[in-house]
Every structure is written in C-alpha cells, then in structure tokens.
C-alpha cells in the first residue's frame, strides 16, 4: 500500500495567517505520530470535495517551492497532484482534520494486533530452541559419560561423534533440508585451521570426561574466557579493566573447584584446559580465515568443520589406542550385559553431540549475543546439576562454592565484553 509522509506534504492555505495557525494547532492536538507513514487512501478520500487552489500564503513562501506545491511526495517518490483523480492538493481544514484523525485511528488499529500476534510465536520458538539446546546437551553428557565409563577410549568415541555429525549433514543436504554449501578449493583451505583446533578441543574434552566427573569438566571449561582474553591480548587486542576483573572470579572458582574435587585427575584437568585452548584458537582462526565466506551459514560451517575434523582425528585415534579397541569392546559388553545397550549409548552420544551444537547455532541466529551468553551460562548450570543427580557424584560445599564462583565469573565476563562491543558500536556511529 502506498503511504504518505506528512513531513514532506505540501500544504496550500488561504492567504491569512490565522487559518495557518488554527490548522497547526489542530494538527498538534491529533493523537498521531507525524513521523509515521499514513495510508494513501486518505488522499483519495477528498476527490469528492474539489476546491479551487487559493493564493499561496506568503508565510509559507520560504518553505515550499512552486515545484513542491505541484507534487505530492509519496514514500520517497514524487507523484504529480493531477495523477490522483486530477484534483488539486488543497482542501478544507475541517476535512483535513477529520481525515487525518481517521487515518491515525486506522493505523493504530492495524499495527497493534499484528505486532502482538507476531511476538507470541517468536517467544514460543525461542523457548523451544532453548529447551532443545539444554535437553540435547544434557543427554549428550549423560550418555557420553556412560559409554566412557565402560569403554574408556575417548579417541574412538570422539571420532564416532564427528562421523555421526557428518552423516547427519549429508542427510540434510541430500534431501534438501539444508541448503548445500558451495565448495571451493579456497573454502577447503580456509577450513583446515579451524577444523584442526576444533578437533583438538573436542578430543581433549572427551579425554577429560573419561577421567573426571562431568561437573568438574564443565566447571573447568567455563574458564575458556580467560584463554580468550590472554591470547587476544598477545595478538594486539586491548581490553578494559572490567573485562580483566571479570576473569578473576573465573580463575578463583576453577582453582577452588579443582582443589576440592573428589574425582580429581591431572589428565582430566589438563584435558579440559587444552580443550579451552583448542576452541579459543578455533574461534580466532575462524574469524581470520573464514571472513571471506560469509555466504556459508553457521550450520553448514559447523558441518564442514566436523567433516574435516574427522579426517584429522580418526587416523591419530587408530595410532593412539586402536590396538586396545577389540579387548575394550569385549570388556564393555561383559560389564553392560547386552551389546544393544552399549550401541545405544554410543549412538545417542553421537547424535546428541551434533544436535546440541546445531541448536546452539540456531539459537545464536535468533537471539542477541547478550541473551545467548546468559543462556550458555545457564546451560552449564543445568548440565552440572543434571549429571550430579544422574551419576550421584559427591559434592563438597567448597567444591560447589568454587563452581558457582567460576560460572558467575563467566557471566560477568559475557556482560563486560558485550558492554565493550556496545561502546565500540556507539563510538563508530558517532564518528
């Protein structure tokens, strides 16, 4: 529908100033935002009331040119006034007032319900995405830990999880459920660095989970912002004091949790720390090497990284622990009793590993970084509580306190970094 911007509407008035003042007063009393565009139908409503154009008021001579008087700007374009039923642009003040009021009421009636109707499905959609994200992450951590408890070979399980994600992406692409990305030599070369560090981050996290409780690994992984700030500082990035202060409770909380952890294991600690390092370097290299491939959406990018990571990981997995897999499989079946149970745990860990990453990308596409950071912090809390309840891990008071401090520090860091980005955007707009 065409619309009229009242700021640029040329007004032709009778040549006495009292009419102009009374007209301005009546306009100012309208419950109408003059910045909004009004339906063009109110222009068409006056064609039954043709009136001759009166002489141009000298009071408005400095504001409107002869060209402006002969044209009506509509939504950025100029349409000659004789194209609208061939009538001039002047009509009585009373009719103008009534017509503008009717247009304002019509605009108010048409905008309110549409916005309310659109916001409810959006809120429901975000609730579903967050619910799936949390649920899938919890299921992955539970069944991944169950599989590792009876089959402590994280290199094979990590490879299988990447394989499951790769098969899932091929399924989406084959049935056109996800747009197939345009593969080029440059894109493959750009993926090599991020995929390598993604591989390191994933396998290190699996090694940590095979040695310690899920809750402990999650607490240590909450220290990822510390690695991010330190590495980016070496690369020339500067951070305000608020960001540096926010990482102090993370370090303090992780240290307290590590000292008081009942299931403490050096390999589990180092695995979680190396995982943080790998994912931070993945993010840094992704920004640098993949900035020219913005046409590849987040889900496809993660799928491609998973595929390339699989080619990195599986040959090394064979070299590191391949000779133990057969004997380890026999022992796992002897412990669990039914092979189908073991297969189910492994398959579920692979499926939900990919699904929770997919949901996180979908959530990031739909919400602001601030909401995502809060959601990610709460996700760790949900995973820690759920796994403690499922595996009944003993938790000491100081350990719980350290975990809470570390997670709260992660939340403070997310707020500080988002505030820093907001200041940068604001200064950029001012300049």
């Amino acid at each position: 529908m065409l619309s009229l911007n009242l700021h640029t509407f040329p007004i032709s008035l009778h040549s006495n100033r009292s009419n102009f003042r009374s007209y301005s007063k009546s306009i100012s009393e309208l419950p109408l935002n003059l910045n909004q565009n009004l339906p063009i139908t109110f222009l068409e409503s006056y064609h039954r009331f043709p009136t001759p154009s009166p002489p141009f008021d000298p009071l408005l001579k400095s504001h409107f040119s002869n060209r402006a008087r002969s044209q009506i700007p509509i939504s950025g374009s100029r349409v000659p006034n004789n194209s609208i039923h061939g009538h001039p642009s002047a009509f009585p003040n009373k009719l103008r007032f009534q017509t503008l009021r009717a247009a304002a009421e019509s605009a108010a009636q048409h905008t309110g319900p549409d916005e309310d109707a659109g916001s409810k499905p959006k809120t429901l959609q975000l609730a579903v995405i967050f619910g799936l994200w949390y649920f899938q992450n919890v299921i992955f951590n539970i069944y991944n830990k169950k599989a590792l408890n009876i089959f402590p070979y994280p290199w094979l399980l990590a490879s299988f999880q990447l394989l499951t994600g790769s098969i899932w992406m091929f399924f989406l692409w084959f049935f056109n459920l996800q747009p197939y990305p345009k593969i080029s030599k440059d894109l493959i070369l750009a993926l090599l660095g991020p995929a390598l560090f993604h591989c390191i981050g994933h396998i290190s996290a699996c090694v940590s989970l095979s040695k310690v409780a899920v809750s402990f690994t999650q607490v240590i992984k909450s220290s990822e912002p510390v690695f991010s700030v330190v590495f980016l500082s070496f690369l020339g990035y500067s951070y305000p004091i608020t960001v540096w202060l926010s990482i102090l409770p993370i370090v303090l909380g992780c240290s307290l949790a590590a000292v008081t952890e009942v299931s403490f294991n050096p390999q589990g600690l180092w695995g979680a720390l190396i995982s943080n390092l790998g994912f931070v370097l993945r993010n840094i290299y992704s920004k640098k090497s993949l900035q020219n491939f913005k046409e590849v959406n987040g889900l496809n990018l993660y799928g491609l990284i998973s595929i390339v990571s699989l080619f990195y990981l599986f040959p090394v997995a064979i070299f590191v622990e391949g000779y133990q897999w057969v004997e380890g499989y026999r022992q796992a079946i002897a412990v669990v009793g039914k092979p189908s149970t073991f297969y189910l745990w492994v398959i579920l860990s692979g499926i939900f590993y990919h699904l929770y990453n997919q949901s996180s990308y979908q959530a990031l596409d739909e919400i602001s970084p601030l909401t995502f950071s809060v959601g990610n912090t709460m996700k760790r809390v949900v995973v820690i509580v759920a796994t403690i309840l499922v595996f009944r891990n003993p938790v000491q008071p100081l350990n719980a306190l350290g975990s809470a401090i570390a997670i709260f520090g992660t939340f403070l860091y997310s707020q500080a970094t988002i505030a820093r980005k907001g200041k940068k955007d604001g200064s950029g707009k001012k300049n």
Side-chain angles (χ1 to χ4, degrees):
M1 177 183 291
L2 293 175
S3 59
L4 170 71
N5 192 324
L6 291 179
H7 276 302
T8 57
F9 184 73
I11 306 172
S12 179
L13 299 170
H14 292 283
S15 58
N16 69 71
R17 303 189 179 191
S18 61
N19 285 346
F20 173 73
R21 294 191 184 95
S22 63
Y23 176 78
S24 301
K25 182 179 180 182
S26 60
I27 289 295
S28 64
E29 292 173 355
L30 276 174
L32 175 67
N33 181 4
L34 294 183
N35 288 320
Q36 70 179 357
N37 290 331
L38 296 178
I40 190 61
T41 52
F42 100 78
L43 281 178
E44 299 174 346
S45 66
Y46 80 90
H47 74 278
R48 296 172 304 208
F49 307 92
T51 57
S53 296
F56 191 65
D57 195 320
L59 184 66
L60 302 178
K61 188 174 182 179
S62 61
H63 297 284
F64 301 107
S65 63
N66 292 331
R67 181 181 180 184
R69 292 174 58 197
S70 65
Q71 293 180 333
I72 298 176
I74 300 175
S75 295
S77 63
R78 293 187 176 271
V79 180
N81 63 2
N82 58 9
S83 66
I84 305 180
H85 301 287
H87 294 291
S89 60
F91 46 95
N93 287 344
K94 184 176 181 181
L95 178 59
R96 288 194 195 98
F97 183 85
Q98 293 174 349
T99 309
L100 288 172
R101 181 184 295 276
E105 293 174 355
S106 175
Q109 291 175 357
H110 283 83
T111 54
D114 291 341
E115 292 176 357
D116 294 340
S119 61
K120 291 180 180 179
K122 185 74 172 178
T123 303
L124 179 61
Q125 179 186 4
L126 291 180
V128 171
I129 290 176
F130 267 92
L132 287 175
W133 183 22
Y134 287 14
F135 172 76
Q136 292 160 355
N137 203 303
V138 169
I139 296 299
F140 160 71
N141 279 279
I142 290 175
Y143 284 101
N144 185 55
K145 182 61 177 176
K146 283 188 173 184
L148 287 171
N149 283 342
I150 63 173
F151 187 78
Y153 300 102
W155 290 79
L156 179 59
L157 287 179
S159 299
F160 179 79
Q161 289 158 5
L162 292 177
L163 175 63
T164 304
S166 302
I167 295 174
W168 182 272
M169 291 306 301
F170 282 121
F171 175 84
L172 296 180
W173 292 332
F174 182 79
F175 289 100
N176 293 322
L177 300 175
Q178 174 71 15
Y180 185 78
K182 184 179 180 181
I183 306 297
S184 64
K185 180 181 178 182
D186 293 337
L187 177 59
I188 294 176
L189 292 176
L191 287 169
L192 294 179
L196 174 62
F197 292 115
H198 178 78
C199 171
I200 294 173
H202 180 47
I203 181 57
S204 300
C206 285
V207 170
S208 176
L209 289 169
S210 69
K211 302 296 182 181
V212 294
V214 176
S215 57
F216 180 71
T217 299
Q218 290 291 330
V219 171
I220 301 302
K221 282 181 66 62
S222 68
S223 66
E224 184 176 323
V226 179
F227 289 81
S228 180
V229 171
V230 171
F231 270 87
L232 289 175
S233 297
F234 279 114
L235 294 177
Y237 290 83
S238 61
Y239 290 92
I241 187 64
T242 54
V243 173
W244 287 100
L245 290 176
S246 68
I247 67 176
L248 292 180
I250 300 177
V251 176
L252 175 63
C254 289
S255 301
L256 184 60
V259 171
T260 58
E261 174 61 32
V262 176
S263 63
F264 178 80
N265 181 286
Q267 290 182 344
L269 174 63
W270 282 107
L273 293 175
I274 294 174
S275 176
N276 288 340
L277 176 63
F279 286 129
V280 166
L281 292 176
R282 179 198 64 181
N283 296 337
I284 293 175
Y285 273 83
S286 294
K287 290 181 180 179
K288 289 187 175 182
S289 62
L290 297 173
Q291 60 182 353
N292 296 327
F293 302 94
K294 295 182 179 180
E295 69 277 4
V296 182
N297 62 32
L299 183 56
N300 280 339
L301 182 60
Y302 175 73
L304 293 172
I305 288 177
S306 297
I307 294 171
V308 178
S309 298
L310 177 62
F311 285 98
Y312 278 126
L313 182 59
F314 188 64
V316 181
I318 296 176
F319 176 79
V320 172
E321 58 182 25
Y323 64 95
Q324 299 175 299
W325 289 343
V326 175
E327 183 61 28
Y329 170 76
R330 292 173 180 171
Q331 294 177 0
I333 298 302
V335 171
V336 76
K338 295 181 179 180
S340 59
T341 302
F342 174 67
Y343 299 153
L344 178 64
W345 292 354
V346 173
I347 292 173
L348 288 176
S349 71
I351 292 175
F352 282 97
Y353 170 74
H354 181 82
L355 287 180
Y356 94 76
N357 281 285
Q358 175 178 311
S359 297
S360 68
Y361 276 101
Q362 290 176 328
L364 188 58
D365 287 340
E366 297 291 337
I367 60 179
S368 66
L370 173 61
T371 306
F372 183 85
S373 65
V374 174
N376 193 44
T377 304
M378 293 304 300
K379 180 206 71 177
R380 293 196 185 279
V381 176
V382 171
V383 171
I384 290 173
V385 172
T387 53
I388 288 176
L389 293 176
V390 170
F391 296 106
R392 302 186 181 278
N393 298 322
V395 179
Q396 298 181 0
L398 286 178
N399 184 267
L401 177 62
S403 302
I405 293 174
I407 292 174
F408 181 67
T410 304
F411 174 76
L412 293 179
Y413 167 81
S414 65
Q415 307 305 300
T417 52
I418 290 173
R420 170 175 172 265
K421 291 179 181 178
K423 289 182 180 179
K424 280 190 173 183
D425 294 341
S427 63
K429 291 178 181 178
K430 291 179 182 179
N431 296 333

